[in-house]
Amino acid sequence: MIASDRIYRQWDEEIVPRLVEYIRVPAKSPHFDPDWAAHGHIERVVELARTWAQAQPIAGLQVEVIRLPGRTPLLYFEVPGKGERNVLLYGHLDKQPEMIGWRADAGPWTPVIENGKLYGRGGADDGYAIFAALSALGALQAQGIAHARCVGLIETCEESGSYDLPAYLEALTPRIGNVDLVVGLDSGCGDYERLWMTTSLRGLAAGTLRVEVLQEGVHSGDASGVVPSSFRIARKLLDRLENPTDGRILPAALHAQIPRERIEQAGVTAAILGDIVFTKYPFAGETRAMADDGGEALLNRTWRPALSTIGADGFPPIADAGNVLRPSTSLMLSLRLPPTIDGNQATQVMKSVLEADPPYGANVTFEPVQGATGWNAPPTAPWLEQALDAASRAVYGKPSAAMGEGGTIPFMAMLGKQFPEAQFLITGVLGPHSNAHGPNEFLHIDYAKRLTACVAQVIAAHAAAA
Ligand SMILES: [Zn+2]
């Protein structure tokens, strides 16, 4: 049994103040800040985390910033341990962009602590990860509890699809060794009352659909009815991808067979969560969910594809809108994919579906921007299942639970391929209303402290199970 006091104290005295500093830095992922290198924000958060990490009283700890030419930096650490086996801890320091809709007294780069929640961009996704990882290891060592050798990969390209990570993984493989437990701290939790293990992640296929009908805009009174609307064409093209009535994605190649154990698990999780499955979303007015049944809603968000249109070009803001037949419409499409569908192949499916036989012969292009493959957890080893449940009962006073997540962590698919024998503890603090990527993102401080204690227990159990 791990005494959690040291972890909780370290969170209060060191980690929360560091995360407050971290939130102030607009360390946007390269995708959202192409000049990231010149701006230096990524560098600042790496330095902030490195300085703290290096000062941890952990025997044999080595902390290094690794830089491959032309790529975002990676913070790497190594802690020697018992036996031949290795634990890999993963997190990231780059952030999503600002997003609109923040409360007036807070903002993405303006940290506010209220009711035990630290508001601001990146605290929960995923700045806390390196602090939690090393705090867990420090607590084990302070009590003389054995752990295996641990390595940490804290990247700065995750929110851009981790395109720099494969190169780092390749360069570091000889140092990392063979991994048999992966601890990923970038995922979600169903509520704030127990340890949640993520059993699957969706993939992502994103790109820009552009429909062009004119060389320049013309008076809509003159042209409408003769020149087809680029917006209407785009709408029709989207109907090839999804059923506009119920949102079901149409191409069969974008669906996967849902494993039976995942269907059963969704039912169990829906029973634990009850209304939270729906009330976690800030629905406007009388808006209803796309499914009434909790289990179906969970399967929709974890094992079925779904389309979001996340950006648009070719439109003036409403205040500046003249009566013009616009020359083009561009839509940024973001399609979440079932865990077992290949992300890059999915972008090619989108391209062929959207570009085929363009209405009115318009110029239609789909340029893939990102393809990331999801992840389905291997069967959980008995020692890990026991360790998760024991940790959850000891720390939260309730049994652990498992569920799929609807987001994407591209690295998990890479790791699953590279270390097919590994076990995974993928978990995180992104629970109800924590709103990573949206406005008013918060870190539930008490939940994160306890999660750190759970991670320590699981790493101890891993060493004991050797
Ligand atoms: Zn993240």
Side-chain angles (χ1 to χ4, degrees):
M1 170 71 198
I2 316 294
S4 307
D5 322 18
R6 183 185 186 279
I7 289 171
Y8 298 166
R9 204 173 346 108
Q10 192 173 30
W11 262 93
D12 290 334
E13 291 172 3
E14 297 175 27
I15 299 178
V16 170
R18 291 305 184 295
L19 289 175
V20 164
E21 262 180 78
Y22 167 80
I23 285 171
R24 285 190 212 284
V25 186
K28 286 190 273 187
S29 199
H31 190 89
F32 309 104
D33 183 6
D35 282 334
W36 63 270
H39 290 153
H41 301 309
I42 294 261
E43 206 54 49
R44 282 168 64 200
V45 291
V46 166
E47 196 47 29
L48 188 155
R50 188 192 63 80
T51 313
W52 179 84
Q54 215 140 44
Q56 295 312 297
I58 295 176
L61 169 69
Q62 280 183 44
V63 184
E64 260 175 78
V65 180
I66 310 221
R67 297 169 199 280
L68 292 177
R71 297 193 183 274
T72 47
L74 177 125
L75 190 57
Y76 176 78
F77 67 79
E78 244 182 76
V79 182
K82 173 195 152 192
E84 298 294 305
R85 306 186 311 153
N86 299 299
V87 177
L88 190 155
L89 298 120
Y90 167 79
H92 66 89
L93 290 167
D94 58 311
K95 308 182 184 187
Q96 279 280 319
E98 295 84 347
M99 191 57 198
I100 50 173
W102 286 78
R103 39 188 276 184
D105 63 334
W109 326 123
T110 310
V112 169
I113 298 178
E114 192 182 278
N115 296 327
K117 293 165 187 148
L118 170 56
Y119 289 85
R121 177 64 79 231
D125 180 16
D126 187 41
Y128 87 102
I130 182 171
F131 298 95
L134 288 175
S135 180
L137 293 177
L140 291 179
Q141 291 205 353
Q143 285 182 82
I145 297 171
H147 58 76
R149 177 170 171 274
C150 293
V151 299
L153 295 184
I154 309 296
E155 63 157 322
T156 56
C157 194
E158 197 275 344
E159 302 292 2
S160 304
S162 296
Y163 56 75
D164 284 342
L165 203 51
Y168 280 106
L169 193 58
E170 199 186 319
L172 288 168
T173 293
R175 293 180 65 179
I176 293 171
N178 192 25
V179 172
D180 69 351
L181 174 64
V182 174
V183 179
L185 297 174
D186 188 25
S187 190
C189 49
D191 59 21
Y192 298 108
E193 294 180 30
R194 69 204 86 223
L195 174 60
W196 286 89
M197 163 159 163
T198 301
T199 52
S200 65
L201 295 158
R202 279 196 291 188
L204 181 64
T208 310
L209 171 67
R210 182 174 157 83
V211 178
E212 190 188 36
V213 294
L214 289 168
Q215 295 169 26
E216 58 187 4
V218 293
H219 194 305
S220 61
D222 175 16
S224 61
V226 178
V227 179
S229 152
S230 62
F231 184 73
R232 182 166 62 84
I233 293 173
R235 257 172 48 192
K236 266 187 79 77
L237 294 173
L238 290 184
D239 290 357
R240 298 176 179 180
L241 264 189
E242 68 172 1
N243 177 329
T245 305
D246 60 11
R248 199 167 55 84
I249 298 301
L250 297 172
L254 299 173
H255 286 264
Q257 175 94 34
I258 308 177
R260 192 145 54 91
E261 70 265 26
R262 296 294 179 240
I263 295 175
E264 286 165 11
Q265 193 175 71
V268 172
T269 305
I272 294 174
L273 292 178
D275 277 356
I276 294 179
V277 172
F278 304 105
T279 58
K280 64 181 276 200
Y281 303 104
F283 282 108
E286 301 296 310
T287 310
R288 291 187 307 275
M290 288 167 66
D292 299 329
D293 176 72
E296 274 305 295
L298 289 177
L299 289 173
N300 276 352
R301 77 180 273 278
T302 55
W303 276 91
R304 296 192 180 113
L307 182 67
S308 303
T309 301
I310 59 172
D313 276 333
F315 297 82
I318 287 173
D320 302 334
N323 292 307
V324 174
L325 199 146
R326 295 174 303 98
S328 70
T329 294
S330 296
L331 301 174
M332 176 75 176
L333 306 181
S334 164
L335 183 72
R336 294 286 174 182
L337 300 169
T340 49
I341 296 288
D342 182 274
N344 286 319
Q345 279 172 20
T347 62
Q348 292 310 314
V349 172
M350 291 170 81
K351 188 174 174 70
S352 59
V353 166
L354 292 167
E355 289 185 350
D357 189 19
Y360 302 101
N363 290 338
V364 172
T365 55
F366 178 76
E367 292 304 329
V369 172
Q370 188 185 350
T373 304
W375 173 78
N376 184 28
T380 309
W383 76 263
L384 180 57
E385 192 140 353
Q386 269 173 27
L388 295 170
D389 202 53
S392 186
R393 286 174 195 272
V395 172
Y396 294 103
K398 285 187 180 165
S400 66
M403 68 172 185
E405 282 294 345
T408 307
I409 311 175
F411 190 39
M412 291 311 138
M414 297 176 211
L415 281 180
K417 240 189 207 156
Q418 180 138 352
F419 305 113
E421 303 296 309
Q423 288 286 299
F424 288 77
L425 168 55
I426 307 304
T427 186
V429 295
L430 305 179
H433 306 288
S434 61
N435 221 20
H437 298 206
N440 306 316
E441 173 182 348
F442 68 70
L443 173 73
H444 190 300
I445 297 171
D446 185 61
Y447 188 78
K449 285 178 180 175
R450 291 173 192 257
L451 185 64
T452 307
C454 287
V455 168
Q457 281 217 35
V458 172
I459 290 175
H462 166 259

